[in-house]
Amino acid sequence: MAATLEGLLPELEVIRKDFPILARTVAGGLPLVYLDSANTSQKPQVVIDTMVDHLERHNANVARAMHQLGAESSEAFESARDRVAAFIKAPSRDEVVFTKNASEALNLVANTLAWARGPLAVGEGDEVVITEMEHHSNIVPWQLLTERTGATLRWFGLTEDGHLDTSNIVDLITERTKVVSLTWVSNMLGTVNPVAEIARRAHEVGAIVVVDASQAVPQIPVDVVASGADVLVFTGHKVVGPTGIGVLWGRRELLEQLPPFLGGGEMIETVTMQRSTYAGIPHRFEAGTPPIVEAVGLGAAVDYLDHIGMENIHRHEQAITGYALDGLATVPGLTVLGPLQATQRGGAISFELDGVHPHDVAQVLDARGVAVRAGHHCAKPAHQRYGVQSSTRASSYLYTTPAEIDALVEALEYTRSYFKVG
Amino acid sequence: MSTDLDAMYQEIILDHYKNPLHKGLRDPFQAEVHHVNPTCGDEVTLRVQVADGLVSDVSYDSVGCSISQASASVMADLLIGKPVEEAMAVHESFLALMQGRGSVEPDEDVLEDGIAFAGVAKFPARVKCALLSWMAWKDATAQALEEKP
Ligand SMILES: Cc1ncc(COP(=O)(O)O)c(C=O)c1O
């Protein structure tokens, strides 16, 4: 039955061979069943090879070395920017800023808005709107911003079935709103949010829309302009790229009005002892030596995803997620948090198992070779909203097979018997 | 595969988890602390009463995994009624066991049921779970002693 699941990537076994780590075994010689891709994805050989090749053959600093290697390295780094821009359909490559990760990108926006003068400035009497299902990375920077500027932080609540409660959108997003920042896909509930609809309301009142697409870019074909975002961020390591690299896309007019974030080399036009003038975008936001090999790896990663096709990956994710939801429904005492239809959610599925704490679930699963995440998944407020202290989360990706979901379900049954529940 | 798992989930641990001792906050107390494991969100609120150089009561309220819950139960049972100095020594001994990566031989005379946690020391991710309530106890006891020199 599993083998005929509709929507699966047709060459799944070939794709799995692209990811060397999937062939390894874990303690006890068990095959690895990696269901923690929402935490970080595994890397295909082409990403690893591209990074090694860069280090072995083209390593040099970018933008400031006049020699051949410097030119090759700069070319590789900037061409990664081109690939990322194409991948998210950015109107201009200059709108793509490399950061360390999604968290840094969100802090970049929140900090530069705190320092902005003129119409973008966020100050007393202004409001910033987020949601109760954000990752801590999209909560804390806005708390810091509003605390530092005297602005007010407000948020969308959640409905019982795991969606954003947009019923009060008109009261929440008002003339006082300067920024609306929300996640496209929840890393805990899996919910896919109506970003375009919320952006429409935000734009009516002149607010900027920041979208945390950390869980969306890996799974959904993204067109930044069509999304309605003014700024969209994601993190490289969840899109089969390396750690240490993130992306901030912003509309040119907006980025050009924002003050610098970090000061240093590469972000300047000229420096005197009295003052400096700054480079244009994107370099204005990239102080110091950037994560060069990481950017090159990310370029290879998005090429890889493009090659397989984001539409196909999306279909695969939906098929696997639906199969997983069906499988989890057969486990007695198991409650899934968030929407129960695969079409309304991403591939991260958090759940509770009656009588067994998530840590213990994850530990027993690990002993069966099944890697999942347990805890609050950096979304404490969302857990609190549903009266849950922590949960277990299984998350799939383009290399996940129905057989791995079967292994998860079987390991959960084993967990119940191990802890003698039911 | 289940040998390490069984080494961690000793019957004693599962028993304490299902039937925790001394759980529930009680009066009187001189110090109350709240400790959280930031990586997983496990929490404990713990109260300590010190009288005549003895740990006269330890009570707690907690949420968390089997290891953190059982550890709180074992700790409270072990330390209540002990002279503060001896309790501190037991604390040291438990800490050494947990941080020993599985290489420390536990002393049953000192740790009693606490020796059941020896298997946990082999799982670095779980050591913090086992130590949560012990760290809270040490903190609360230090505060109680400051209060009542
Ligand atoms: C929705 C969401 N936002 C932000 C982040 C933060 O990503 P990073 O830790 O790479 O900055 C994550 C991942 O952990 C996430 O899932």
Side-chain angles (χ1 to χ4, degrees), chain A residues 359-360 363 367 389 418-419, chain B residues 1 6 9 18 40-41 66 126:
Chain A
H359 269 176
D360 298 316
Q363 192 84 58
Q389 191 236 352
Y418 193 89
F419 282 94
Chain B
M1 139 199 118
D6 293 342
Y9 292 119
K18 297 226 152 128
C40 64
S66 59
R126 303 303 292 276

Side-chain angles (χ1 to χ4, degrees), chain B residues 31-35 46 48 88 91 132-146:
Chain B
E32 177 179 297
V33 297
H34 183 72
H35 279 213
L46 184 136
V48 168
M88 286 288 180
H91 177 278
L132 180 67
S133 57
W134 288 80
M135 292 306 187
W137 173 80
K138 190 174 184 196
D139 185 12
T141 305
Q143 289 183 25
L145 291 173
E146 262 171 41

Side-chain angles (χ1 to χ4, degrees), chain A residues 38-40 99-106 133-138 183-188 212-216 233-238 243-246 373 377-378 393:
Chain A
N39 202 351
T40 200
T99 62
K100 185 171 67 181
N101 48 34
S103 304
E104 188 184 60
L106 290 163
M133 68 165 80
E134 298 308 313
H135 186 282
H136 296 166
S137 294
N138 199 28
T183 193
W184 189 334
V185 177
S186 161
N187 67 312
M188 175 211 165
D212 176 358
S214 301
Q215 297 290 346
V233 311
F234 67 98
T235 196
H237 64 94
K238 296 192 208 273
T243 55
I245 185 85
R373 184 167 173 185
H377 323 309
C378 302
R393 184 183 72 183

